[in-house]
Amino acid sequence: MNLLEHIYLKGMLAKQKRMVAAQKRLPYPVVSIGNITVGGTGKTPAAIALAEESVRRGFAPIILTRGYRGKAQGPCFVSAGNKPLIGVHEAGDEPVLMAGRLPGVPIVKSPDRYAGGMFVLERLGETPYAAQGQPRILFILDDGFQHWNLARTVDIVLVDGTNPFGNRRLLPLGPLREPLSALRRAHLLVMTKQASETLARELVSISSEAGLHHASYRMDFLLSPDGTRQAISLLSGKRIFAFSGIANPKSFRMTVESTDCAIKGFKEYPDHYSYRERDLLNLCRIAERASCELLITTEKDLVKCSAYNGALPLFALTVSFAFDERFMDDLFEMLTQLRTY
């Protein structure tokens, strides 16, 4: 282990010990969705999928999120269950995305997720759950595997099947937030995008007690900034210019390519990039010079493109997270066995 990795690990373990010692517990079950690496493994779409399934099974899900780069201070509603109450600048891009995809589900931004949970419980009368008497509340902790100061009932860890652990080095020399041995804390491990027998064997060897599952992405529809939806088939045969500011732009490009369009240009921005009007107009000009017919981006990027007024139509290619057939049954059976509701 390199000296820089050793220094990082000592600091991380000290922080973990301090936070676990002060750990607090919410009065309802908490399901955390997280990962062990920096970058995108699909936590936000996974949280959306879990919230939707929770509703189908009679639960009242509440999403607790840090709201990365959101400027709002303290616990606050991103959505009380109807529509976004604050914008991207205050909430961050991913919470606003979730608010748009999950009508009826409260979403709370709070760096301290315990404080966020207590905040929403004190204000249940402001949410759609007020009319349900005593709803079966289920907290969903977005990006929570390293949020040690809140006890959780179930830890779900996502692992990118196409690039699980990068160079297998700890920060700052690699993508690992924790050593691979930390996967032993997980109750459920999910290989995303691609199921690999080699990766499956490694995960089982590290954490033999965790349930192992697979998940993939399903394209849904095209979404314009004004909320108009179009079928994915609109892209077939079209000349398009694509752009994204996400952690894994290569994965997005592969998804776009699978629609049978002709990609004439692709622009990568840093993760969570805040688009300015001139950025968007410049993209439109570049696309027009390449004789493109459409601009395509991700749903996470689209929530930051409200200022777009270019000549070419702009759409986000929306996707859903599809767990394997056993996952939801295993998760809710686990919650039942743990007698958390």
Side-chain angles (χ1 to χ4, degrees), residues 236-291:
S236 182
K238 292 288 196 306
R239 297 168 61 91
I240 69 104
F241 189 98
F243 67 97
S244 68
I246 59 175
N248 192 346
K250 291 181 181 178
S251 177
F252 172 60
R253 178 165 187 154
M254 290 174 60
T255 301
V256 176
E257 288 174 341
S258 71
T259 66
D260 196 31
C261 67
I263 299 180
K264 297 303 179 181
F266 192 95
K267 173 72 173 176
E268 295 180 12
Y269 290 91
D271 194 14
H272 299 282
Y273 185 75
S274 295
Y275 296 95
R276 298 160 295 187
E277 185 176 2
R278 64 174 178 268
D279 293 321
L280 300 172
L281 290 177
N282 187 51
L283 285 169
C284 187
R285 283 193 292 267
I286 296 171
E288 287 179 310
R289 286 198 293 268
S291 300

Side-chain angles (χ1 to χ4, degrees), residues 20-100:
V20 169
Q23 192 174 78
K24 297 179 181 178
R25 187 177 298 273
L26 289 167
Y28 294 95
V30 175
V31 175
S32 166
I33 297 176
N35 59 9
I36 200 171
T37 58
V38 296
T41 53
K43 296 182 295 294
T44 296
I48 291 171
L50 177 54
E52 291 173 335
E53 182 65 20
S54 300
V55 171
R56 284 191 285 269
R57 295 186 183 230
F59 286 85
I62 296 169
I63 293 181
L64 303 177
T65 178
R66 175 178 55 157
Y68 181 67
R69 290 195 177 179
K71 303 302 182 185
Q73 300 297 311
C76 63
F77 280 119
V78 177
S79 169
N82 37 32
K83 61 181 181 180
L85 299 174
I86 56 177
V88 172
H89 179 75
E90 296 83 10
D93 47 22
E94 289 163 342
V96 172
L97 187 162
M98 290 189 285

Side-chain angles (χ1 to χ4, degrees), residues 19 24 26 62-79 86 90-92 94-96 98 106-123 139-144 147-150:
M19 294 177 75
K24 297 179 181 178
L26 289 167
I62 296 169
I63 293 181
L64 303 177
T65 178
R66 175 178 55 157
Y68 181 67
R69 290 195 177 179
K71 303 302 182 185
Q73 300 297 311
C76 63
F77 280 119
V78 177
S79 169
I86 56 177
E90 296 83 10
E94 289 163 342
V96 172
M98 290 189 285
I107 297 166
V108 175
K109 176 193 180 305
S110 179
D112 182 338
R113 254 56 71 86
Y114 173 79
M118 296 307 296
F119 167 86
V120 72
L121 290 179
E122 292 168 1
R123 292 163 175 80
F139 285 107
I140 299 173
L141 186 59
D142 177 42
D143 194 8
H147 193 72
W148 299 293
N149 63 346
L150 176 62

Side-chain angles (χ1 to χ4, degrees), residues 33-47 49 156-165 183 188-197 199-200 203 211-218 247-248 251 254-255 319-324 327:
I33 297 176
N35 59 9
I36 200 171
T37 58
V38 296
T41 53
K43 296 182 295 294
T44 296
I156 301 167
V157 176
L158 308 182
V159 180
D160 184 342
T162 63
N163 185 24
F165 312 117
L183 291 174
L188 295 167
L189 293 170
V190 181
M191 296 180 290
T192 68
K193 302 175 187 175
Q194 178 177 300
S196 159
E197 287 297 327
L199 176 59
L203 293 175
L212 183 60
H213 294 270
H214 174 242
S216 58
Y217 292 92
R218 178 186 66 245
N248 192 346
S251 177
M254 290 174 60
T255 301
V319 297
S320 292
F321 200 82
F323 289 101
D324 63 41
F327 176 81

Side-chain angles (χ1 to χ4, degrees), residues 167-228:
N167 62 5
R168 295 174 178 261
R169 306 292 294 271
L170 288 169
L171 291 167
L173 300 183
L176 290 176
R177 297 178 176 185
E178 300 183 70
L180 293 182
S181 58
L183 291 174
R184 295 172 189 151
R185 300 200 315 270
H187 298 88
L188 295 167
L189 293 170
V190 181
M191 296 180 290
T192 68
K193 302 175 187 175
Q194 178 177 300
S196 159
E197 287 297 327
T198 301
L199 176 59
R201 286 194 294 270
E202 180 175 12
L203 293 175
V204 169
S205 70
I206 295 171
S207 181
S208 59
E209 298 299 316
L212 183 60
H213 294 270
H214 174 242
S216 58
Y217 292 92
R218 178 186 66 245
M219 290 185 288
D220 288 338
F221 50 84
L222 299 175
L223 182 68
S224 70
D226 67 4
T228 303

